Each structure stands twice: as C-alpha cells, then as structure tokens.
Amino acid sequence: MTRILPLTVVFIFAIYFKTNAQSLPYGFPDTDRTKISLNHDWKFHLGNPESKNFVVDLDDSNWETVNIPHTLKLTSLTLDGLNDEKTQLVFHREVGWYRKTIPVANSNKKVFLEFEGVHQVTDLWINGKHIGQHAVGGYTPFHFDITDFVEKGKDNQITILADNRRNEMVPPDPGPFDYVKFSGLYRDLYLVETNPVHVTFNWETLNSGVNITTPTIDIINKNAVVSVKTSVKNETAKSTKCQLLTRVIDKDGLVVLKLTDEVDIWPGQEFQFNQIGSLEDNVNFWGIDNPYLYRVNSVVIVDGKEIDFVENKIGLRKFEQDPIRGFILNGEPIELIGSNRHQQYPYLGDAVPNALHYKDMLQFKEYGWNIMRTAHYPQDDALIEACDELGILVYEEAPTWISISDKGVWWDNLEKSARTMVRNHRNHASIVMWGAGVNHRGYVPRVHNTIKQEDPTRLTASQGARWTGWQTSGLTDINANMLYGPFLWDRSEPIFAMEGGRGAAAVAPYKKDPLMTGLISWTAHAYYTFHPTHSRANDKRDRTRSGMMTIFRDPRPYLEWYKAEMLEEPFINIQEEWVPDAKEITVFSNANEVELTLNGKLIERLKPSNDTIYDGLDHAPFHFKNIDYNSGKLVAKGYLKDGNTIETSKKTPGKPYAIHLHLDTEGRPFIADGTDILVAYATVVDKNGTPVFDTDHLIKFSVKGDASVIGDNADINANPMFTEYGVAPALIRAGNTVENITVTAKCKGLKSASASIALAPYDRNEIQKNAKAIYDFKSERVDLGAPDQLLQFGWQPWYGTDEAENMYSFQTFKGSKAKIVKGSDDGITRWLGEMNVIGKYGYAYGEGLLAIDDKGVNLVFDNLPKGTYKLTTWHHAPSSNSDSMDPNIEKLKSVTIHKLPYEKSIIVASEALVGDKQVDVQVTDGKQMQWEAPGIGVIEFTSDGISPVTINFNGKGNKGIWLNAFELSEWK
C-alpha cells in the first residue's frame, strides 16, 4: 500500500529541500554537508522550569513567536528599575523554553544542532526525548549529535530549555561581576548535516576540526609556510580510503597552494591529516592596514566523490612581544591602542545580530583603534570575523571576573571554556593573545597551561590588577594589568594596560614609552551593570555605565581626538559646542598649527599643546583659552605639513526647530531576516541645521513597511526616546519582506523627519550564502636550457639542443606539447646551460634559449584543450657568476652564447591573445638579480582545442631573443 503524505507536509518538505539545493559558485565543492540557519519562527515561553514543555503533543500555539538571537525579555536602560546585587541574584535569573518543528531528510547523513551560545545551561529534547545537557557556560559554542534521535523523512520536534538561573558551578557565576549576564538563546543556531565520513567540530577534542598554523612567516623574503591539521572521522561500519584535498586560495579565488594526502580510516576512528606547504610568490601579509585574508578550503574525497568540506580564513602575519621594542607585528613595532568591548546592546542585552557586531568593529576602525579586548568572556564569531576583515587585533579571554571558586567543577568548566574558546577561534588572524587567568586576579597556572597546550603559537596575558597579586607576567608572556592610577613596575619587562583610562592624556605615556606595550581603554561603549557606586547607578532614565560611546554607539565628543592621533588622513574637529557658557575651545587635529576665528575675526593661531601630560603624542590637542563669547560662527583652520589647509566650524545653535534622521547603514546591508537591526539617530537641529545639543526632547519613532521599533510594545521607555548630546536613538528591527521601509521621527514642536532603506534578501543556507569561487587551475612551470642546465626546484626541465627539433611534453596538460620553431629558415637557436645567476628563480632564468632571427622565435602549443590560458615568460640575458670554487669554471670559459648581442625589449605577439595582440616586455641582464626582478612577460590567450597556438617573440633590432622559462596556466 502506498502511503500518501498530506499536502501540507509535502509543501513543507518541498520548501525545505529547495532551500537545501545549493547554488554554489565556480569550483566550490558541492558535498553532502549542509548548514541551515534555524534562527526563525520559534515558539517561546518564559519560566516554569519544572514543566514538561518538551512533550511532542504540547499545544504551544499561544506561545510567543520569536527569532534568534533572543533574550528572555527586553531590558530598559534602568535595568527595569531593579536594585540587584553585583552577583545578579534576580535579574534575568529565569529560564526560557523554545520549541520548533523541523523536517530532516531521509538520508544516511549525520545530523547535528550547532549552537554558537546560550545563557547558560542548555537542555535539548528531540521528539520528547532528552538528548543531553550543556552546562559549561553561556559564552562558548557546542553541538549535539541528534542523528540517532531524529526521524528521517519526517518532521521532528525540537525543545530547548535555556536556563539562566544562578549556578555556582558555571563561570562567571557565582559572581560578583561588573557587567550583566543576560539570557536566552542569544547566538545563532544551525542544523548541520554531513556525510558519515566528515570533518569534526573544532571544539570536540584537542586534535579535532581544522588547526592552521604558520610555522614560518618571512617578511623580508616574502614567503610563508602553512601547516594544516585536519581531523576526519569515519562513522561508518567499514574502513574507508579517504583523500583530503586542502587548497589555499587568494582574494581573487585563485588556488596558490594545493596539498593532498590519502589514508585508510578505520570504523569509528578520528584521523588527523597533517599537511604542510609553502608560499613564495605574490605573498600578501595580514596587518592592521592591509588585512589580507586567504581561504583554506579542505575537501574530503571518497571514491572520487567530494563528500565533505570546511573552509577557514587565515592571515599570514608574524607577531612577538619584544622585551625592548614592545609589540612587533610583521617586523614593525606598533603601539597597541584600542578599547575593551562588552557585547551588550540597549534593550537586547547580549542578543545581538551579526551586523551589529560588525558595526562595532567598523567604528573601532573609524577611530584608528588597532586592538580590542573581549571583556570579560569569549564573544561572537561574527565579531572575530569582523576583526579579521578590518585589521583589528584581539585579546580574548575565558569568562571570569574577580571571583575565585573553591569548587572543582567550577574550575573544570573554566578550563573547558578556555579550551573551547581557543579551539573555536584559533584559526583567526586577528587573535594575538589569550587571557590566561582570572580577570583582575592575575595569571592562573592551570588556565595558562591549558591555553598553551591548545595553542602554543599565541601570547598569553596575565590579567592582573594593580591592587592585588604578583605584579608581573608570571608564567604568561605579557604583564597585562589594570592601570588606572599608580602601579608597581620595575621595568624589568614590558607592561600592557589591558584596562586603563581614555583620551589624549591617558594614551600619551604609552606612545612615549616602548616598554609600555599599549593601552586598551575602559571601555568602548556604556554597558549594563549593577555596580552600586558608579555615577549613573541611581539614574532614573539611564543607568548604563562608562563608555567612550553611549550604549547606542553614539560617540562622546572627546572621542574625536583619536582620529587626529591614530589616522593618517588630514583631520580637524572642535570638541565643544559654541554656546554662551563657552570659555575654552579644544581642537583636535593632525595639522601643525590651528587658527581659530570667530565671525571672521582671528582669535589666536596655536601649535599643539606642549603640556607635559601629552608627552609622547604625535598630535596633542590645541587649547584655546579665555575666549570672549559672541554668538556666531567659530572656524578652526588647520595648516598641514604639506602646505594644504583643512577647516571645520561650529555655529551658535538657535532654538530647536526640526529633526535630522540618520539610519546607520554604512558598510552593511539591512537584511530581511526578521532579526537584523540597525540604529536610527534623530538629531535635534535649529532652522539652519545646526545641532542643538542641550535639548531634552522625547522623540517618537515609527516605521512604514515590514520592520519595527524595538521596545514599541514593551514597557521599557524605548519609544519615545530622550535625547543625549541632542540625539535620540532607536533600534529598528527588519521584518521578512524584501521591500523599502521608511522610518519617521516626530516630536511635538519640531519638524519631523523620515529616511528610507531597502531590505535585502536573506539566505538561510549558510554555505550557499558564504561560498566564493575557487579557481583551481592547472599550471606547469618549465625551465628551458641545455642538458647541463641547473633545474629550478619544482619546475619541469626542457632540455634543448642547438638546431634540433626541440619539443616538450607537458606533465599536467596530458597530451599537450610545446615546441620551439624558428621564425624563418635563416634563423638560428642556441641553448645555454649552467651560468649561475644569483636571484630568486635564478636557476630558471640563468639559462635558456637564445634565438637570432629577423622574424623572431615561436613558442607553439599543440593539442591544448579549448579554453583560456595565462602564459608567463622569463626573459633575462645571463652572465656567469662563477668563481674559482665552481667545478664547472673551465667549461664556462668556452661558452660564448651569452656574449651575443640581444634585444633589450621584445614584443610578444599572437592572434590568440585576449585583448591587445601584442605586449612589450623589457629584458634584464647580468649575473646578479638578488634585489631586482627579471624580465617577465604575462599574456592571456585562447585555444580552440583544435589549432596550434603560436606565440611569437621578436625585437626591432634583429638581435638575439632570450627565452629562459615559462609557466602555462588555465585561466578565467
């Protein structure tokens, strides 16, 4: 009897399988692995931890429908008026139930649920059966293998309990801590399916997943060695012959290194492939100014079929902590200047979408900051990826804050958190140091040793405080301390402020003293805390603490100084507003001098302040004092070193008149995924558009289209919103419809404003969304020369003889041949052997072919498959570098080919060339090319797969044409 599925189920499965049908770019492996976002359409219930909300037939239709990232409940800026303790006894100490039904295909695949982070203990049920519990902590990823618990080919009911109740066994509990530990299923969640033979998750064991290191980074000679260790597990019942293909890919999608190994993996065995290779040509290093990333694509192949893959991004960089010069990146000392960062956002707590993590780091870059510390816990993958892409160094640490437990399970969980943190982020270029202790208490041998076992390549930091513990690096690599005031330091080793003050005077000592490695200021953004004594602890409107920016990421005025000090482009800014009580004006600029005028009348022209508190700075502030106020326009004009000028102005603001609305979309799309968020800033301005910063307005936001204002229907005082620095912010959450939305800001007595943005499409298929083309082109390098030539390492030899028919059979392009053909019957060819030219690839261009013919010489390719090719040719006139130590010196005395006249410039021509049909190439000469590049020609040509392709090399003076070597590659 044939069973017929109900139409609705068929429809659901059709949608699911359509989503999983991957449309991948050129060359990207299409394997059994899928990774689908499960962030959408969960049923949510708050509380009742003892309820049996996991049963399959539970009626959850009245539960709230939510998307992930999700917090158990939205939070006001006053922490809901709650006066909790720093141990956070009550606030968000609840549980949340999440339920969702998903189809799982009928296949032999492994099925996993991958969690990026849940606060803080997680229980999982599949179809009413308890699968397991993750109780290590809320800041690191984990997964459940649900293969044996799902019903394949059917819908499966998932229930998750996110338990954020206080737990003395789970760091950073039991507290206290100077931040709020928020709640919920707050980071991304995925359904991952793989072949039974698959690459494991990085965090499973010490040797699991992919571990990429760079044993050698040579900045001088521009080369790198890349080591890739990849663990593949065979979860079949039989031994499997498994091939691992690992490719390093540049930004253009070109494979620059390919590594292949094959091994038999036993049933149940997790085998670690250990591969290593080197890059020598066109190597790009990762740095804060040029964060170049390579992709490492690892493919598992069984019986000729690509069955699994993973891809990581890496940066080639070399860093060290020098005892004299401080922190060295790629051979150059840099002063580490940046800020600590909490992952909190207003209302949302920790439930932050990926786009806002990226925006935070884009803002770091805007101010020239080059380092970020993840205070005080591991943070989102999206944040670390943003640092990789933008060139921001990272100091990451396991979740702690001051408290030291005496419970063994607590320490076990701290160790597990540290291990998972390292395993999860070890391949990221941006991470250069790990915190190796308990925050503010100093280094902990167990934590340090754990991290060094996991990752011996990076630095560890002591996480000390100036008021407690041994004031030293101890076991760790860096003496990292809280430096807010006087501290104990004997200068026997560098010191690094993992926390400290902010602004010009705070930064100056670190820029002056190379032994003061750097300053990570406290803190980038205002943050939630139950700290009882900070300046806003009892504020009735906003209790967030500290921050060089508000919790809405609106910069405070003094922050602009960093742009003058840390960035290269000309900059000038007036800090204060020009209002009646203004007595002093501070200008931030990287100009040599600044001239200040009021209504066209000169006030003063100054050099940067010479106050000793600024010693060490490149661009101290300009302080204009004792100014007589008059309303009008204040202009600061900077005179730059190159003779150019730059200026800015501030006007006396009039009465509040209107709203200017800005949607912060720079550097990002706004995705119609139901979870994406952007920040809207409504600034109060006068009739002339001048911001009015001392206003106290309540501004109401509304949205037309499929989006909403966060907090609109919650009693958290989010909308309408008060102004700070004349700005009222709001968080706008995207809906699911691809359309234009319009945000409007209104306030009684002010002219309203609107701004629009288009919502972009969303793809929940993570592999399809992130995949980029891979051009794994065949290529072959050929070294031409007489039979006695010295072959260049790794190249194929073409041994030629004078006046004979010289033909080369390709190794890579099977069946294809190359031959040298004289341009005319009157031409001559001479093959030169060993000449000993110094230089990179000197063995290739130190010998070769010299042809003399007024028609030039032809390189002819036969039987090349149809397609486009790239041909690189070397043209150098060698002379001997031999001396009395050379056993071939007597032979070289009789060689005269290299003394024949030759063309200094040649023309490479063919009707098969793409674009221009000829290219000019300069010919180099000599016995020593240590610091210069030889003559190289690069062309692209096409083959029809039938006719020979003829490339002609000729000059204009009927002199010799040198051809030493070539590389033939398939091309786009």
Side-chain angles (χ1 to χ4, degrees), residues 112 291 607 725 745:
F112 305 95
K607 294 182 180 297
Y725 305 113

Side-chain angles (χ1 to χ4, degrees), residues 779-785 789 791-792 794-799 808-811 818 831 844 859 861 872 874 963-968:
S779 65
E780 190 163 331
R781 285 178 163 179
V782 181
D783 185 357
L784 284 71
Q789 71 162 317
L791 181 63
Q792 184 66 50
W795 296 44
Q796 296 298 324
W798 185 348
Y799 299 119
Y808 172 79
S809 296
F810 284 96
Q811 304 300 305
W831 292 75
L859 178 60
F861 299 106
T872 303
W874 278 258
L963 176 62
N964 314 93
F966 67 84
E967 179 179 16
L968 182 67

Side-chain angles (χ1 to χ4, degrees), residues 256-315:
V256 295
L257 177 64
K258 184 154 58 175
L259 306 168
T260 305
D261 285 290
E262 190 172 79
V263 70
D264 285 320
I265 304 180
W266 307 326
Q269 181 188 13
E270 182 178 3
F271 178 85
Q272 187 181 64
F273 288 86
N274 193 335
Q275 300 173 309
I276 195 165
S278 54
L279 302 174
E280 291 190 80
D281 297 319
N282 304 312
V283 175
N284 291 280
F285 298 108
W286 185 95
I288 57 176
D289 297 320
N290 179 38
Y292 192 99
L293 293 172
Y294 290 88
R295 296 150 55 201
V296 179
N297 186 279
S298 306
V299 185
V300 180
I301 302 169
V302 174
D303 294 331
K305 182 177 183 285
E306 296 177 336
I307 63 168
D308 193 29
F309 92 98
V310 291
E311 185 168 287
N312 292 270
K313 292 182 180 178
I314 63 166

Side-chain angles (χ1 to χ4, degrees), residues 25 167 209 232 315 373 442 476 487 511 536 544-545 547 566 586 590 659 672 681 691 738 833 881 913 926 932:
N167 189 325
V232 176
R373 176 176 174 234
T476 67
F487 54 91
K511 297 211 69 174
R536 282 185 166 181
T544 60
R545 184 185 190 191
M566 302 298 294
T586 305
N590 46 20
I659 296 171
Y681 297 100
V738 177
N881 196 62
L913 264 59
E932 293 82 26

